Amino acid sequence: MDMQIIFDGITAVRNIFAAFFLSWIRFFFSGYKKKSVTEEIVLITGAGSGMGQGMAMEFAKLGAVVVLWDVNNKGLEETVKMVKAVEGVCHTYICDVSDRAAVRETADKVRSEVGDVTMLVNSAGVVAGRRLLDLTDQQIEHTFGVNLMGPIWTTKEFLPSMLENNQGHIVNMASSCGLIGLSHLTDYSASKFGVVGFTQTLNYEIHFSGHDGVHTTLVCPSFVTTGMFQGCRMAFPLLIPELEQNATVQRIMHAILTNQSEVYIPRLVYFMNSLKTIIPVSAMLEVIRFFRADKFMHSFVGRGKDELSLPAKEE
């Protein structure tokens, strides 16, 4: 028994060092070959605007069949025009991902009308931008419904066929707020923390089940200028820049096409997330104060700030 522990320990240390070595090469050089997504069926939630719309365009350019979900029909129509402009193939569906029954019904339609989804990109998201005690119960439930339960419901629908064929990819849009929370974003941050934990644990389940052809990618960007956080500004953009949408989409696409498990944008987010785990909470409060992150939401002018009974903007 003792010898087995020693043998397993040596093997684990060897594999850990090998994993570190390969990860650092990937981190600094990202030289892995990109996979083809031609004729893949890629379903994107929140495809009517923002990051979802941007990724729909990129996948269409690469020859994928894009399936677009959103609650905003007008936004979907705009995305369709953009996809058709690059001669892409797309299918659109109105679906509220927070509604379990609607997700199941719409997923059945996709399987019947388009086929088995081979890549799922969960990009739909909402933000209210209020302190916890200023939020209505409806807003809190909606935030968790869209941001966290939506990815869970869609994954439950489309993961089984991926596992059966040992081919697929699930991409979940979280946020740097899912690693380091922000004031006035209690519900949003908590929901994104959930997405981080869900995606990381899902990756473990898939890996240890032996399905090496099914991948997950967790995306944690900081402030992207999509309009979702309209009015907000970074205090020190030279240190933590406001992310331009197209450049961020390109970075995410690179991570997906090279099967990266996690991507934090900008790279400083990796450092900040590690820093949070090794310094005292009181010291982290000073770091947050230095970056003016405690005041980031003070200039927020999104719809959720004035109309508490309504859901916030879609990403």
Side-chain angles (χ1 to χ4, degrees), residues 126-295:
V126 293
V127 62
R130 303 284 296 194
R131 294 184 303 174
L132 177 64
L133 297 183
D134 293 331
L135 289 166
T136 65
D137 294 348
Q138 178 191 13
Q139 278 192 307
I140 294 171
E141 290 175 350
H142 187 67
T143 296
F144 277 86
V146 175
N147 295 357
L148 177 57
M149 297 313 300
I152 293 175
W153 299 145
T154 55
T155 298
K156 287 198 69 176
E157 287 297 325
F158 299 114
L159 180 59
S161 63
M162 296 182 189
L163 296 178
E164 182 179 350
N165 298 316
N166 195 29
Q167 178 187 359
H169 201 140
I170 294 175
V171 181
N172 288 331
M173 291 289 296
S175 167
S176 61
C177 291
L179 303 168
I180 306 167
L182 287 182
S183 175
H184 288 64
L185 286 174
T186 309
D187 59 329
Y188 179 82
S189 295
S191 69
K192 293 300 186 178
F193 266 92
V195 174
V196 171
F198 168 63
T199 310
Q200 290 176 339
T201 309
L202 179 67
N203 180 52
Y204 300 158
E205 286 190 2
I206 294 172
H207 175 81
F208 291 116
S209 68
H211 294 89
D212 57 359
V214 181
H215 305 277
T216 66
T217 297
L218 170 66
V219 183
C220 293
S222 63
F223 174 44
V224 185
T225 56
T226 60
M228 186 176 184
F229 287 91
Q230 185 177 351
C232 298
R233 292 290 179 268
M234 304 299 292
F236 301 113
L238 289 178
L239 295 177
I240 305 180
E242 298 178 357
L243 302 177
E244 192 273 326
Q245 178 178 316
N246 184 62
T248 306
V249 167
Q250 295 300 325
R251 179 68 187 89
I252 295 170
M253 290 296 297
H254 178 83
I256 295 170
L257 297 177
T258 56
N259 293 328
Q260 294 182 38
S261 296
E262 298 186 13
V263 56
Y264 302 169
I265 311 171
R267 291 195 186 277
L268 182 62
V269 176
Y270 289 97
F271 172 75
M272 296 295 289
N273 184 47
S274 299
L275 182 68
K276 185 190 74 168
T277 65
I278 60 176
I279 66 175
V281 172
S282 57
M284 192 61 196
L285 291 175
E286 295 306 317
V287 173
I288 291 172
R289 183 177 288 112
F290 169 77
F291 283 103
R292 310 291 194 272
D294 56 323
K295 297 180 173 61

Side-chain angles (χ1 to χ4, degrees), residues 70-83:
D70 207 299
V71 294
N72 184 347
N73 186 56
K74 184 177 180 180
L76 281 181
E77 290 176 352
E78 180 182 344
T79 307
V80 168
K81 291 178 182 177
M82 296 169 66
V83 170

Side-chain angles (χ1 to χ4, degrees), residues 5-137:
I5 292 175
I6 294 173
F7 176 78
D8 288 348
I10 293 173
T11 301
V13 170
R14 182 198 63 191
N15 292 342
I16 288 170
F17 272 104
F20 261 104
F21 179 73
L22 292 174
S23 294
W24 279 107
I25 290 177
R26 190 171 195 168
F27 182 86
F28 285 109
F29 300 104
S30 298
Y32 284 38
K33 182 180 179 180
K34 294 181 180 180
K35 65 183 179 183
S36 171
V37 292
T38 303
E39 297 185 355
E40 296 275 343
I41 298 177
V42 180
L43 190 152
I44 304 171
T45 69
S49 62
M51 304 294 287
Q53 188 176 72
M55 284 187 282
M57 281 288 295
E58 294 304 315
F59 279 113
K61 291 177 184 177
L62 294 174
V65 176
V66 291
V67 179
L68 312 175
W69 284 19
D70 207 299
V71 294
N72 184 347
N73 186 56
K74 184 177 180 180
L76 281 181
E77 290 176 352
E78 180 182 344
T79 307
V80 168
K81 291 178 182 177
M82 296 169 66
V83 170
K84 289 185 175 179
V86 296
E87 299 182 350
V89 178
C90 66
H91 303 264
T92 62
Y93 298 86
I94 300 295
C95 182
D96 177 1
V97 295
S98 69
D99 185 336
R100 179 68 181 104
V103 169
R104 184 182 295 113
E105 179 182 349
T106 312
D108 286 340
K109 289 182 181 179
V110 171
R111 284 187 284 263
S112 174
E113 299 170 3
V114 186
D116 286 332
V117 169
T118 53
M119 184 176 293
L120 170 64
V121 181
N122 283 305
S123 183
V126 293
V127 62
R130 303 284 296 194
R131 294 184 303 174
L132 177 64
L133 297 183
D134 293 331
L135 289 166
T136 65
D137 294 348

